Amino acid sequence: MNNNKTENAPAAVTHDFFYVGGEYSGPAGKEVMSGQMYVEVLRPATVTRRYPLVLVHGTAQTATNWLKTPDGRPGWAYVFAGLGYEVYLIDQPARGRSPWHAQLDGELGVVPVAVVERYFTATAQGAWPQAKQHTQWPGTGHKGDPVFDAFYASQVPYVADSAKSQQLFQAAGAALMDKIGEAILVTHSQSGPYGWLLADVRPDLVKAVVAVEPQGPPVVNMSMQQALKGESPMDDSQKRRWGIADIALNYEPALRDDQQLAVVRSPASRADRLPGWLQLEPARQLINLQAVPMLIITGEASFHALYDHATAAYLQQAGVPVTHWHLEDFGITGNGHMLMLERNSREIAELLHRWIADI
């Protein structure tokens, strides 16, 4: 293992970067730019795929999430470039190389070591039924292991307010789509809602969304601790007003300022999955997403195996063309939440390519 060098990365790939979005604010003579987003580009010598990919990282991560695994293998950015895609990587606004302003962007959060170990890297003893199946993390998954330490070193502070981070990305993401044109989004975890939100404002440019274990479940944003114990929230009142996002989506009929979505509990189909939430029929439709194909992908051993089905069902009911793949159904087993970093990450990327290539 060499954590300073990417092993076997494709040679014929060029790199570039730019910034998009942002605006000047502040009193005259003291203006600053905020909301701009760093974008890195990987271009293979020969682009053979019609649509480029935009890879959007999750909580506490940056674009490095896609460049290299913590044990030194090429990341998904290089795998997809090797398959002929032009690849765009971003640092979410107010994170990493995208500047954060304390007065404008709000409080930052951090992820403690124990949380990363328990939910992402060493989950075999986790409280959810699927946890014991976790075998694919490349190392012990604990502090002091070189692979874990390389991964945890890449964690950075992030904007703690979900609504604020979604607003920042939707604006900068729209500017990116306006600049590069049609593309396919690949989101992960916290950035899952970004896919729905960006497609909602740029439905003609977002050609598809691949949501790798997207943030959920819909409607009631239960705590991770409750979800992992298989509990329902103590308070079942609606907490995520827009169902699958914390900021506005275009529903038909429209959701007025004085309205809440009418929702109903949907039972779990299996003992190792949680109940979900759906709209009461007739369900409002997500009209701007109805021509955007979407794929949700879930690892066998991840805590997302508890509830990603509920996100897929919510989107389907709202008229969105969504496919939900469980990796174990394709013979890909043992994966936790960080699919792009685990031992079989290339195999997973090549599986995604099979779906993306048909768009």
Side-chain angles (χ1 to χ4, degrees):
M1 183 190 72
N2 183 341
N3 286 324
N4 296 314
K5 182 179 180 180
T6 303
E7 299 172 4
N8 303 316
V13 173
T14 60
H15 292 249
D16 194 5
F17 77 92
F18 55 87
Y19 282 81
V20 293
E23 58 184 17
Y24 291 102
S25 61
K30 296 184 179 180
E31 298 97 335
V32 297
M33 179 180 283
S34 65
Q36 67 268 43
M37 185 168 73
Y38 173 86
V39 183
E40 188 169 348
V41 191
L42 273 63
R43 295 188 178 96
T46 303
V47 175
T48 59
R49 307 300 171 181
R50 179 178 181 184
Y51 299 119
L53 304 182
V54 179
L55 308 186
V56 188
H57 59 80
T59 297
Q61 298 292 290
T62 66
T64 62
N65 201 195
W66 309 103
L67 289 169
K68 184 175 65 172
T69 68
D71 59 337
R73 291 170 289 117
W76 279 10
Y78 284 108
V79 174
F80 284 119
L83 290 168
Y85 293 95
E86 186 176 38
V87 180
Y88 292 86
L89 320 169
I90 65 99
D91 283 2
Q92 289 186 29
R95 191 185 309 181
R97 289 161 290 189
S98 301
W100 169 78
H101 296 282
Q103 302 89 339
L104 301 172
D105 298 322
E107 181 181 353
L108 294 176
V110 295
V111 181
V113 168
V115 171
V116 173
E117 291 176 325
R118 181 179 179 189
Y119 299 139
F120 304 147
T121 64
T123 67
Q125 302 303 313
W128 60 101
Q130 300 88 342
K132 61 182 177 295
Q133 305 296 331
H134 191 205
T135 60
Q136 292 290 353
W137 182 259
T140 69
H142 290 289
K143 180 180 67 174
D145 178 81
V147 176
F148 177 89
D149 292 346
F151 173 57
Y152 193 74
S154 72
Q155 309 296 296
V156 299
Y158 58 93
V159 173
D161 184 336
S162 292
K164 178 68 172 181
S165 66
Q166 290 173 21
Q167 291 167 349
L168 288 169
F169 177 81
Q170 188 182 51
L176 175 61
M177 299 304 295
D178 292 341
K179 179 179 177 68
I180 69 175
E182 297 173 330
I184 294 170
L185 301 185
V186 179
T187 64
H188 176 240
S189 194
Q190 175 233 350
S191 67
Y194 295 6
W196 341 129
L197 289 164
L198 188 50
D200 194 45
V201 296
R202 292 296 184 272
D204 294 333
L205 297 178
V206 176
K207 306 311 293 182
V209 176
V210 176
V212 179
E213 302 210 340
Q215 185 185 73
V219 179
V220 174
N221 190 17
M222 70 180 69
S223 73
M224 183 178 287
Q225 288 76 14
Q226 287 172 320
L228 296 183
K229 292 177 182 177
E231 298 176 354
S232 297
M234 293 183 66
D235 176 5
D236 278 349
S237 62
Q238 184 178 340
K239 291 176 168 48
R240 184 174 283 151
R241 180 168 182 262
W242 300 92
I244 51 172
D246 297 296
I247 63 174
L249 287 160
N250 285 294
Y251 283 97
E252 181 62 46
L255 190 62
R256 301 193 311 263
D257 290 344
D258 62 343
Q259 291 179 314
Q260 294 281 338
L261 288 171
V263 295
V264 62
R265 197 75 158 159
S266 61
S269 59
R270 293 176 15 177
D272 60 351
R273 293 179 184 171
L274 294 176
W277 289 89
L278 292 171
Q279 297 183 64
L280 280 173
E281 294 288 357
R284 285 180 164 86
Q285 300 294 285
L286 289 164
I287 54 173
N288 287 349
L289 306 186
Q290 293 185 341
V292 182
M294 299 191 178
L295 173 66
I296 294 174
I297 185 165
T298 305
E300 180 186 38
S302 173
F303 60 91
H304 272 253
L306 291 169
Y307 56 74
D308 276 355
H309 65 280
T311 302
Y314 186 96
L315 287 165
Q316 280 185 328
Q317 187 196 34
V320 181
V322 60
T323 301
H324 185 194
W325 283 357
H326 294 272
L327 287 179
E328 63 269 26
D329 293 339
F330 295 85
I332 301 175
T333 60
N335 286 103
H337 185 52
M338 303 304 295
L339 303 179
M340 71 292 299
L341 301 179
E342 297 199 314
R343 288 190 178 100
N344 56 356
S345 59
R346 179 180 288 272
E347 184 181 6
I348 297 170
E350 290 172 348
L351 176 66
L352 297 185
H353 164 62
R354 285 164 48 185
W355 187 86
I356 294 168
D358 287 336
I359 301 300

